[in-house]
């Protein structure tokens, strides 16, 4: 998982490793990350406070995953209600 944004249950797989420091880092930003569309690979080598950036990105990743889960659950509920209406 990407070392900059992954922690606990919020994990983001990546197969890209920094050739300089050997750490796995995402090459795409997280949806909703804001105006700064740098990849996590780029941020890793530019950001001064990696711990703060890691915490912020992990929160964004968790929010993104939670919103996808809620949308999936809502879609399933809507499908179930449509099935009941058609019965």
């Amino acid at each position: 998982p990407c070392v900059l944004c992954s922690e606990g249950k919020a994990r983001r797989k990546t197969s890209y490793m920094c050739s300089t420091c050997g750490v796995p880092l995402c090459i795409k930003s997280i949806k909703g990350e804001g105006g700064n569309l740098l990849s996590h690979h780029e941020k890793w080598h530019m950001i001064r406070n990696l711990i703060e950036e890691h915490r912020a990105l992990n929160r964004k990743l968790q929010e993104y995953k939670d919103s996808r889960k809620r949308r999936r659950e809502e879609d399933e509920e809507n499908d179930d209600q449509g099935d009941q209406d058609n019965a």
Side-chain angles (χ1 to χ4, degrees):
C2 175
V3 296
L4 192 55
C5 66
S6 298
E7 184 176 313
K9 291 184 180 183
R11 302 175 79 71
R12 195 170 190 208
K13 292 181 182 179
T14 183
S15 58
Y16 295 94
M17 303 282 276
C18 175
S19 60
T20 304
C21 52
V23 298
L25 295 159
C26 299
I27 59 167
K28 293 184 179 178
S29 44
I30 300 168
K31 286 187 180 182
E33 200 170 311
N36 187 352
L37 296 178
L38 296 174
S39 72
H40 295 174
H41 181 271
E42 293 166 318
K43 286 182 179 185
W44 182 262
H45 294 283
M46 294 174 60
I47 301 294
R48 291 184 188 263
N49 189 338
L50 286 171
I51 293 171
E52 184 178 307
E53 186 70 13
H54 165 76
R55 288 178 182 147
L57 289 173
N58 186 253
R59 277 192 306 274
K60 286 286 182 197
L61 181 60
Q62 187 64 52
E63 290 168 6
Y64 173 69
K65 289 183 177 270
D66 288 346
S67 71
R68 284 182 54 199
K69 183 179 178 182
R70 276 192 304 277
R71 250 184 282 129
R72 226 179 5 257
E73 289 170 352
E74 289 171 359
D75 289 346
E76 288 173 4
E77 283 179 22
N78 291 338
D79 288 345
D80 290 344
Q81 287 177 353
D83 291 342
Q84 290 173 0
D85 292 342
N86 293 332

